[in-house]
Structure formats: structure tokens, C-alpha cells
Amino acid sequence: MSKKVIKFEIEKETKNSVRYKEVPDDGTPPIVGSLYVQKWFAGNSKSIEVTIEKKD
């Protein structure tokens, strides 16, 4: 198993959600790209982190 913490920064707000764009590590392509999070959860957060765990 391997875990990866992915950082996202706010890109834009829509009616009910906030779109975050991935901030990839230097020299690596994005893993997720964009991520939509509902406004009721995102609140005023300018950045978020998501942990992905691969199960082999």
C-alpha cells in the first residue's frame, strides 16, 4: 500500500461548490486535477489536502 497527500488551492466558486486545482510536486504530473467540494464543507478554505491510499 502507498499513501499520497495531494494539495489543492482554490480555483473558483460555483453556486453550491468550490473548485480546487491540484498543486503537483515539482516535475510530476497532476494525479487528480480538479476537485469539487460542497460549500457547506469547504467554507472559506483557500487550500485543502486530500490523502489517497492505494490498496494493492
Side-chain angles (χ1 to χ4, degrees):
M1 293 184 290
S2 67
K3 287 186 181 182
K4 178 72 174 171
V5 176
I6 304 170
K7 297 178 183 177
F8 293 85
E9 291 180 345
I10 194 166
E11 187 172 4
K12 77 175 215 177
E13 291 189 28
T14 63
K15 182 179 176 186
N16 295 313
S17 61
V18 180
R19 184 168 74 188
Y20 291 90
K21 64 179 176 179
E22 183 177 344
V23 180
D25 294 334
D26 290 338
T28 60
I31 296 169
V32 175
S34 294
L35 181 68
Y36 285 85
V37 178
Q38 297 300 304
K39 280 187 177 177
W40 68 264
F41 183 81
N44 294 325
S45 297
K46 300 295 179 199
S47 63
I48 60 171
E49 289 184 351
V50 175
T51 303
I52 296 180
E53 182 176 350
K54 286 192 325 185
K55 306 261 182 177
D56 296 333

